[in-house]
């Protein structure tokens, strides 16, 4: 076992976000779950799409599981970037799963296990290697057994390890001053910040946590560019 | 599908608020729901009326759904602006729906679904293209199933997409330090700020979020003018 | 309808508080409910009395509905001001309704509707044009159906419009950092502030909100004078 | 009625606290309830005792109702001041009622009404003109119907007016940043402050509210002297 | 009665903490309960032991009631100080009562009364004059009737007065910004502070309250020395 | 007994974290439970592994009880450090117990006692002298009787004393401003801090509490090195 593991820790999953990989020693670890959190409008979904496109470029299937937005709308919103999302959707390298539509259809609340199993079966079906879940907060609102969050998430993470699927789990930031449970369970946590300085909006990204990878946890300036979110090797000021 | 979508992302719904459209690349996207939030007296309702008048000028029917104020009172209060609201009301280009009166009449609490369906049927009836709902907070207080907020709002948003109706959802700001759920579900969030500086009230507007549209999220000074709320291309100081 | 409304928006109800009317374009609008809030000892009740005396001078009947203080005590406390309250009470131009005594007598809790109806019937009985309710907080504490606050208040406000009665609703400030529901439902909100600066108490008034009336929302110094509360056209410092 | 009231508003009940009466135009009003609040060790009980001694000097009976301390202990603790408490206790001009002992004895919880009636009957029995209740917080903890606080307190205050008994109600400060209900119901509120400045304890008193009496609400330095708490006509620094 | 009381107020119970007695006029009052509170690692238990050793030196029996630590462990931890605790334990001048072990043994929750009675019976059994209870917070967690805290504590305090036993009640500080009930019920409150200044830990002690004793309530520097906690007659900086 | 105890207080368990032992007089005390807490990504797990490796070097068996991460993943993540973990795992000097897997398997919630007994039986089975539990927060989430936390932890701590097993209990920091119960029950508390200064992440370690051991509680800079976490004898700035 251990030689394989050793080698795996050298593998990297490039993030697709310009400027991010150098901060995390080349990319994510395969088979892990990473949390990305930030305030409204901070670029969480955009980073998720960039992550899937990076895989699609290398012929890996990427899955976007949406718990609120209509996929059509996400795709439309992404047209403002020169990311070529449309062609990957057409070639089925990037697949959207409209979980909200499904939930509206069945019209009852599911348990944490059922939701995660649903995601896992769809991963198998399309043979996805990269997955974005948007958002964990939306999931929390929709389950009927909120008390099982930690145990269900632990189980899901272990299934991902087996399948060697890498997941970006998007989380809506409610209170910027507390750490919630999933920060501790994820292999890594990327926090998007925005603050007003002299009435100007400044944006930054921070690698709060990145297990098994030497990383730079200082705040880095980010900007929205025509290629999506880009990280700069500099402080926000 | 996608060519149509692509084109739609180029369409713009002008906001009717002088100085706002340049910040959002020409206007809102059609078929979307936008949240406008701010403290009491910050101009949320006024901006809603300006939005409907802009449509009425172009012969689009606008619907104002009121969950507390008597429409007569809203109209009276708007007379202090030179917006010409009265003539659009008389020509039925702007229609007020007094939901509070309806709720007082039926005298029982409705569910989230029932409320949204009521709004949707009225939209169909008057063939509205622009809708203002005042306010989401009032709705939250009046439903009998608060736990279904997210799922009902997701469903409503999807219906709006189908109908290509653009909605401004007004939300009362309770605690300026937290983000509530609807910030994440809306396609865009406009925040009105006011602060006391040297005992003087200063007002500002900020585009906190605007999906699919390159936008300027810095704080901009606003003032109440005789034409309603106006946004200035400058910081509040 | 609309011509009448238009004219009504030009009518003004002078506040009776020296220095306040210039900030609100001459006075309140008739038939509206205004909220006045502030910390203990900030002058809320005094302003309420000044409001009724202004009406009494013009022969309008004013009604003070007390949810805690004995009217006798309020009158006694007001004797320190040269407002001539006593003679208006004797000529029945200002009438006190001791709701607390009534509630102590019936010895059970009433609903929001019942309380508001009680107030409305007393308004009719004395034919009041100006009403002060002291306080909304006390009402909240005494009803048996707190969950109906918003809907009952909306209904009450609509009845006031019909009767063309102007109401000052006094509210006890509990937490100065949050806005409560009634801030949004009232046509206007006047906030009384006090702060300690170099161990000295400084008092100020602010028009937080004033629908349908151009107004000055900067903080203004106030002082207790022998004529009651007076507003100065200057910052508190 | 009103001439008597007018005269009564000229009457003053001297507080017995050196330096306090000049801040409140000579003293308290008769027949009123005043709240005194502050952090632990700030002198609330001491001020209560000074208040009773002032009455005893003028041959008025004073009643101290203790909801926690053994009267013996209070008397012992007051021996450090040259107030002569002992002789007034011996001449029965100051009477202690050990309510805690009573409650320990009956061994069940009483309602707000029962507690206040108990106090009222003891007031009648000893014919007290001045009463100290130590403390309201302790009462709150011991009643079986906390939801009736406001209504019971309103009733109690009205009985005091009838009996022309002046009450100091001591309240333990839990959170210095919020105003609790009794601040609004009392005729006056005196707040004791302490703060650390350069690691030195500084004490101050502030008249937050004083209905019917022109008063100075700036912070005043206080010190513990051999005659009890003394107020200085100066800021704490 | 009163002459005896008068004399008793002159008696002092030296604290055993070098530098503390000068701040409190020579020592504690006999038969009282004092609260000592502070953050983890601030020296609360050490001060408790010093208090018992001071008594033991004068042949008074001291009782340490432990609600969590094994007495063996406490003794071991105190070996780092030159306090000679071991010999007093061997001569039974200091007795440890392992209440936690007892509670683990009986395996059900006790009421506040039962817990305090248990302590009182042990006090009688060993004829203790000084008692340390470590900790009140632990007690709060272990009782089955939390709502009876105040009344049970009042009763306990009265029993201590009768028995003339002086108690240090240790309390874990949870939130440094609020005062809890026991602060008001205790005859005195000693607060241990620690703060980081330039990344250096600074420790201080403050006499927040000390009934019946003139005292210095300024912050005083403390240090851990080989004789336990020592108070310095200086500010922490 | 006491001579043995005396000697035991001289024994030290080196921590395995370079730079930490000099701050705590050579190391931990045997048979104690220490809490290590910090925000996500602050090095808690890494320090736990270093602690076990230090024991393994001296031929002591170390046990890592994982309540969320798959041991395989922990081992993989530790490969980035030159700690030689793999060989100690292979020689069974360091043993991982995958409690999460067990809990997923049995599929029901356990009580605090059952969880601690499970850990104790595993300690006996492998004859461990050092134990890391990762994490207490995860345990809290998974038990069915949260109200028994304190009593169960007290019992567990006493069993550890008997077995002379030293435990590092990892705790996830939720709110950096409050102290939770386990801070008071543990023999020592080590807090990991991180803060942003000029947009740069700075890390520090602080010995908040260390019973029975003279210690340095100032903040010390830490860094992640190729040998794991290292403590520097300097302030973080």
């Amino acid at each position: 076992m251990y030689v394989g593991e050793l080698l795996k820790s050298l593998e990297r999953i490039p993030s697709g976000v310009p400027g991010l990989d150098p901060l995390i020693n080349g990319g994510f670890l395969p088979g892990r779950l990473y949390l990305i959190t930030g305030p409204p409008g901070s670029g969480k979904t955009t980073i998720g799409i960039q992550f899937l496109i990076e895989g699609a470029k290398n012929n890996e299937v990427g899955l976007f599981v949406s718990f609120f937005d209509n996929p059509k709308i996400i795709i439309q919103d992404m047209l403002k970037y020169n990311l070529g999302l449309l062609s990957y959707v057409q070639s089925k390298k990037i697949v959207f799963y409209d979980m909200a539509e499904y939930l509206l259809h069945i019209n009852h609340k599911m348990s944490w296990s059922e939701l995660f199993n649903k995601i896992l079966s769809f991963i198998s079906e399309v043979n996805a290697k990269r997955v974005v879940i948007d958002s964990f907060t939306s999931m929390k609102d929709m389950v009927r057994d909120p008390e099982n969050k930690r145990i269900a998430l632990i189980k899901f993470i272990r299934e991902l390890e087996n399948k060697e699927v890498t997941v970006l789990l998007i989380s809506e930031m409610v209170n910027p001053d507390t750490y919630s449970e999933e920060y501790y369970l994820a292999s890594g946590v990327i926090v998007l910040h925005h603050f007003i300085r002299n009435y100007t909006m400044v944006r930054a990204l921070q690698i709060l946590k990145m297990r098994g990878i030497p990383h730079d946890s200082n705040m880095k300036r980010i900007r929205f560019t025509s290629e999506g979110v880009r990280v700069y090797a500099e402080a926000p000021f």
Side-chain angles (χ1 to χ4, degrees), chain A residues 133-202:
Chain A
I133 300 174
D134 189 2
S135 69
F136 193 54
T137 321
S138 216
M139 290 179 74
K140 280 194 243 184
D141 253 42
M142 285 170 171
V143 295
R144 67 164 186 264
D145 61 339
E147 72 281 8
N148 292 331
K149 186 178 68 168
R150 186 182 281 255
I151 193 86
L153 186 52
I154 288 173
K155 195 174 169 198
F156 179 62
I157 288 171
R158 289 175 176 231
E159 297 285 350
L160 299 176
E161 289 160 14
N162 291 338
K163 292 178 181 292
E164 298 195 14
V165 172
T166 309
V167 171
L168 284 201
L169 182 63
I170 292 176
S171 171
E172 303 168 4
M173 183 179 281
V174 176
N175 182 337
D177 293 333
T178 55
Y179 304 120
S180 60
E181 223 169 336
E182 51 270 25
Y183 280 48
Y184 291 98
L185 299 180
S187 275
V189 178
I190 296 174
V191 182
L192 301 176
H193 298 271
H194 67 191
F195 17 78
I196 293 293
R197 198 173 136 137
N198 295 325
Y199 307 100
T200 302
M201 181 65 111
V202 179

Side-chain angles (χ1 to χ4, degrees), chain A residues 28-47:
Chain A
F28 299 120
L29 291 174
R32 302 294 183 96
L33 180 142
Y34 294 98
L35 192 79
I36 179 150
T37 189
S42 58
K44 299 180 295 297
T45 302
T46 304
I47 287 175

Side-chain angles (χ1 to χ4, degrees), chain A residues 67 119 143 147 211 233:
Chain A
F67 278 87
I119 296 173
V143 295
E147 72 281 8
R211 298 284 292 261

Side-chain angles (χ1 to χ4, degrees), chain A residues 18 46 50 53 77-85 223-230 232:
Chain A
T46 304
Q50 293 175 263
I53 282 174
D77 287 347
M78 289 298 141
L79 292 179
K80 76 170 171 185
Y81 302 116
N82 302 328
L83 290 167
L85 172 61
R223 282 201 191 87
F224 285 99
T225 71
S226 57
E227 271 71 33
V229 172
R230 172 181 285 274
Y232 295 84

